[in-house]
Amino acid sequence: AQSVTQLGSHVSVSEGALVLLRCNYSSSVPPYLFWYVQYPNQGLQLLLKYTTGATLVKGINGFEAEFKKSETSFHLTKPSAHMSDAAEYFCAVSDRATNAGKSTFGDGTTLTVKP
Amino acid sequence: ETGVTQTPRHLVMGMTNKKSLKCEQHLGHNAMYWYKQSAKKPLELMFVYNFKEQTENNSVPSRFSPECPNSSHLFLHLHTLQPEDSALYLCASSLGLAGYNEQFFGPGTRLTVL
């Protein structure tokens, strides 16, 4: 069975500082990996995903993530935080071996951006 | 309308009421999902439909009854709910069930059970 762990339920950074949100997964084979963002009173929105190929994935709003198989990680980064980045971020994994539409989501990390 | 829409956005109901949540996707997707999002809990998958057929029921109590009349519409019928069922209910869709397909979420229905 696959699982995903997001280290740190709350992360606070200053505007202009580096954003680093951590995600580690557990799976028998490397899964498909996703980062979603949820703004207040909205549904989740895809930031980026890794399926195959280049391990450094660029997403929307200046975010990127790197798949590191040896570390079973898929951490999300952004060089310079903006006030509008304040939201909840979810890492998710999907099994490569089955086509069941069952993604496993992490518990989420709330990002606060201080002026 | 674009993307995934959900109505109503807010719903307050008593434990003896019957109500329905509606979801519609305008993306031409074939798979649709219901999730429950509670405070301090991870996102819980409830049901999965693919081409109108239910492919997953994640041990959801029978007081939640899904209906998928076509690939664009998904309903969640609610009856005799409990206060612990209060949560944000999210609908999502994807092109198919393959794991590489990302899901597109609606804004959710905030349900309060009194």
Side-chain angles (χ1 to χ4, degrees):
Chain A
Q2 59 194 17
S3 65
V4 58
T5 302
Q6 291 184 238
L7 295 174
S9 58
H10 290 85
V11 170
S12 180
V13 301
S14 297
E15 190 173 20
L18 171 72
V19 175
L20 171 61
L21 304 182
R22 300 178 186 274
C23 173
N24 288 88
Y25 67 88
S26 174
S27 177
S28 54
V29 296
Y32 300 114
L33 295 153
F34 306 81
W35 274 101
Y36 290 86
V37 61
Q38 185 178 27
Y39 299 104
N41 300 315
Q42 295 186 29
L44 282 68
Q45 175 186 358
L46 181 74
L47 276 176
L48 48 80
K49 67 178 182 180
Y50 171 75
T51 56
T52 188
T55 56
L56 181 62
V57 181
K58 294 187 184 300
I60 62 172
N61 302 338
F63 285 93
E64 61 182 36
E66 186 170 11
F67 168 59
K68 292 187 176 180
K69 183 178 176 181
S70 61
E71 299 178 6
T72 61
S73 69
F74 191 56
H75 301 331
L76 182 71
T77 61
K78 182 174 180 177
S80 177
H82 192 272
M83 297 296 290
S84 60
D85 294 326
E88 189 157 21
Y89 292 79
F90 294 90
C91 182
V93 300
S94 292
D95 193 345
R96 285 182 184 268
T98 63
N99 290 326
K102 294 173 67 173
S103 292
T104 301
F105 287 81
D107 291 353
T109 297
T110 300
L111 176 66
T112 301
V113 182
K114 299 174 293 185
Chain B
E1 294 277 14
T2 58
V4 180
T5 58
Q6 289 186 243
T7 55
R9 293 293 310 275
H10 300 271
L11 179 62
V12 178
M13 59 187 289
M15 290 192 288
T16 58
N17 291 159
K18 289 184 180 182
K19 296 287 185 183
S20 295
L21 310 185
K22 178 183 176 183
C23 174
E24 184 174 1
Q25 60 96 359
H26 309 266
L27 300 167
H29 289 167
N30 300 310
M32 296 188 77
Y33 311 77
W34 279 117
Y35 287 90
K36 177 183 180 182
Q37 187 177 35
S38 306
K40 303 186 189 304
K41 280 190 171 183
L43 207 59
E44 300 173 59
L45 178 65
M46 300 174 72
F47 303 102
V48 180
Y49 278 82
N50 192 40
F51 290 100
K52 306 189 301 178
E53 299 300 319
Q54 187 180 113
T55 59
E56 182 77 19
N57 176 337
N58 199 21
S59 303
V60 180
S62 60
R63 58 185 183 270
F64 295 90
S65 175
E67 179 190 0
C68 190
N70 54 61
S71 292
S72 298
H73 294 85
L74 186 63
F75 296 88
L76 189 62
H77 304 299
L78 317 171
H79 62 99
T80 59
L81 294 191
Q82 305 297 312
E84 59 265 28
D85 296 323
S86 298
L88 182 68
Y89 287 85
L90 291 165
C91 174
S93 70
S94 65
L95 187 59
L97 294 184
Y100 52 76
N101 289 311
E102 65 266 34
Q103 295 182 20
F104 293 75
F105 286 80
T109 295
R110 174 70 62 185
L111 174 66
T112 302
V113 182
L114 301 176

